[in-house]
Structures are given as C-alpha cells and as structure tokens.
Amino acid sequence: MSIVLSIKNVDKTFGGLHALGDINLDIEEGKTHAIIGPNGAGKSTLLNCCIGRLIPDNGTVEFEGKNMIGMQPHEINHAGMVRVFQTPEIFPDLSVLQNVMIPALAKRDGIFKFNAFKSLSSEKALEADAIHILEDMGLGEHILKHAGSMSRGDKRRLELAMGLVQHPRLLLLDEPTAGMARHDTNRTIDLLKRIKERGMTKIIIEHDMHVVFSLADRISVLAQGRIIASGTPDEIRGNPKVQEAYLGG
Ligand code: ADP
Ligand code: MG
C-alpha cells in the first residue's frame, strides 16, 4: 500500500475561528477517499490547505513524499494534484475543445512558458488526447460548441475533463454533483466510477450520501474542524458518532 497524500497535524484558524484542528489523514494510491461533514465543517478549507490556496498554521501536507507547504497553487497543480469544482472556471466564449486544451498545454509547458493561443493549432497529440477524454465524458458531439452554450451538467463535465487532461496523480473533487438533477448526478457517478477503474487516486467532498456510498473506498467525517471518524463505508454507516453528527440519526 502506497500513500499518495499524507496530511499531518494540520491546524487552520481564521481570526478566532478554529476551522481545522489537528487533522491527520492518509490517502492511499488508487483509492477514492470521501470527506463528508455538515456545512462549515472545514472540508473546503482542508482541500484549500492541500492545494496551496491556504497555508495551514501548523502541520504538513506531503504529496508523494514531498512537503507542499509554502508551494504556490500552480506549482502544486503542476506536481500532479488537481482540483476541480466549486470554482466553475470554464471559458464560455471558447469552444469546448479549446477549454480542455488550455490546461493540457499549461500542464505540458508549465505556466510561465505557456501561450495557449499560439500553440492551439499545432498540438495534435494533445488534441487527440483531449478529444478522447471529451468523448469519454459524453461531450463528443459538443467539441466545437461554445462552452457557454452548454447545459449546466455538461459544463460541469467539461470542468472534469479540464482536470483529467492534466492526467493528475491525485484528483480532488469539491462537491462534483452539487446543484445537479438526479439524472445528471447518476451520469456523473458513472463517469467517476470509470475513472476509478483506471486506478486514479481521488479525494471527493460530497454532500450527497448516494454519491459518497456509490464511490468511496474510505470515508472520513469532519465535524467542527475535526475528523470524528474514518473508515470503510460500512464502518461509517454504522458509527453512532457519525449518525449523531451528520447522518441525522
Ligand atoms: P465546508 O466546506 O465544510 O462547508 P469551509 O471549509 O468552507 O466548510 O468553512 C469552515 C469554517 O471556516 C466555516 O465556519 C467558514 O465560515 C470558515 N471560513 C472558511 N473560509 C474562511 C475565510 N477565508 N475567512 C474566514 N472564515 C472562513
Ligand atoms: Mg465547502
């Protein structure tokens, strides 16, 4: 068993608010690890501490053995830790294909050398990969459309494709089905299951318990900035502390 991400003793305060207290978490290679917990529990804060958008007050975040604390978000992204969602950052006036080519080229070139518009026409291999991923996401027929003209569910799948073209070593999903109708949620679950079959390591933050129990190998429950339980889906389902804090039992 190999650990891709190791979070150790992470604390984060905002003024007087203790948003995260002594978080310890290991993410195993190839697994889907769900983080659940009520609103305001600290889930997004924890993710932001991992990807360099926030700096913890204490503790370390090791990705593939290397401490990421102090690194810039784009450097962490380039190292292979890719976050999608809760930041709907598509380019509505560009085509769907151009939208996925931008992160694909940024990944290849590094953010500083990157000139998306100059390179767009010449990158056949990357383009073939991008088209393949879009087809896989069920967006094959939309490739030449303006991204902004697509349905909400398709836009969110585009965001997922923009993450996948970077071939992340660790994919972090912040509420991938938030705001989706049941039909779109089920489609997204199927897509994420397929990604999982290919062995990609994932952290998924999710409110929808149907999504969590469909996808997770392990679940950690966050409440008031602390991990109150970690285990397999069956262990979490049966845990009375979790029922009390979250599942409303
Ligand atoms: P979750 O994602 O689990 O809903 P968050 O991580 O967004 O929770 O927030 C955890 C707590 O930290 C909340 O009480 C929230 O109001 C607070 N918080 C989050 N970000 C900030 C910030 N930038 N400044 C001040 N307080 C924040
Ligand atoms: Mg959140």
Side-chain angles (χ1 to χ4, degrees), residues 31-219:
K31 301 282 190 226
T32 298
H33 197 124
I35 297 174
I36 66 172
N39 245 330
K43 305 180 296 296
S44 294
T45 302
L46 180 58
L47 228 58
N48 284 328
C49 286
C50 294
I51 58 157
R53 285 205 191 177
L54 289 172
I55 300 173
D57 303 339
N58 281 302
T60 58
V61 174
E62 283 182 13
F63 176 57
E64 300 193 318
K66 191 173 169 211
N67 191 8
M68 298 282 118
I69 303 293
M71 283 173 63
Q72 295 294 317
H74 71 265
E75 294 171 322
I76 294 176
N77 185 278
H78 202 66
M81 215 196 294
V82 172
R83 176 190 178 167
V84 283
F85 305 117
Q86 276 212 345
T87 45
E89 283 158 5
I90 62 165
F91 304 94
D93 297 328
L94 297 184
S95 75
V96 168
L97 180 57
Q98 285 172 323
N99 266 270
V100 290
M101 286 302 285
I102 288 174
L105 289 164
K107 171 72 182 177
R108 188 200 59 182
D109 296 342
I111 205 80
F112 298 114
K113 288 186 282 171
F114 160 62
N115 181 335
F117 296 94
K118 191 170 147 213
S119 325
L120 272 178
S121 59
S122 62
E123 307 301 333
K124 287 299 163 200
L126 282 181
E127 192 176 280
D129 182 55
I131 290 171
H132 179 76
I133 286 169
L134 286 169
E135 284 171 347
D136 207 30
M137 295 288 104
L139 295 171
E141 79 238 46
H142 300 312
I143 282 175
L144 299 176
K145 273 193 196 163
H146 278 164
S149 71
M150 293 198 302
S151 72
R152 185 181 174 138
D154 282 341
K155 279 182 191 149
R156 305 212 76 196
R157 281 184 281 277
L158 172 59
E159 289 169 41
L160 182 55
M162 289 168 77
L164 292 176
V165 290
Q166 301 174 63
H167 294 281
R169 300 274 308 135
L170 173 62
L171 185 65
L172 304 107
L173 303 160
D174 200 346
E175 303 202 19
T177 68
M180 276 187 187
R182 179 51 71 193
H183 160 80
D184 261 341
T185 296
N186 286 338
R187 232 176 121 187
T188 303
I189 291 173
D190 288 342
L191 290 173
L192 293 174
K193 274 188 182 155
R194 290 226 301 278
I195 297 167
K196 178 175 163 165
E197 280 159 17
R198 287 176 217 142
M200 190 180 288
T201 313
K202 294 200 295 299
I203 296 178
I204 177 169
I205 287 181
E206 184 55 68
H207 270 297
D208 184 330
M209 287 304 113
H210 172 62
V211 178
V212 169
F213 287 112
S214 301
L215 289 169
D217 300 300
R218 287 192 73 79
I219 299 174

Side-chain angles (χ1 to χ4, degrees), residues 10 12 17-25 34-46 207 219-230 236 239-248:
V10 162
K12 181 70 192 173
L17 176 79
H18 218 140
L20 294 175
D22 198 27
I23 300 293
N24 289 281
L25 199 60
I35 297 174
I36 66 172
N39 245 330
K43 305 180 296 296
S44 294
T45 302
L46 180 58
H207 270 297
I219 299 174
S220 294
V221 185
L222 209 55
Q224 297 181 330
R226 295 194 171 263
I227 292 179
I228 59 165
S230 261
I236 293 301
N239 183 319
K241 260 201 305 189
V242 176
Q243 305 231 332
E244 191 185 325
Y246 189 53
L247 297 174

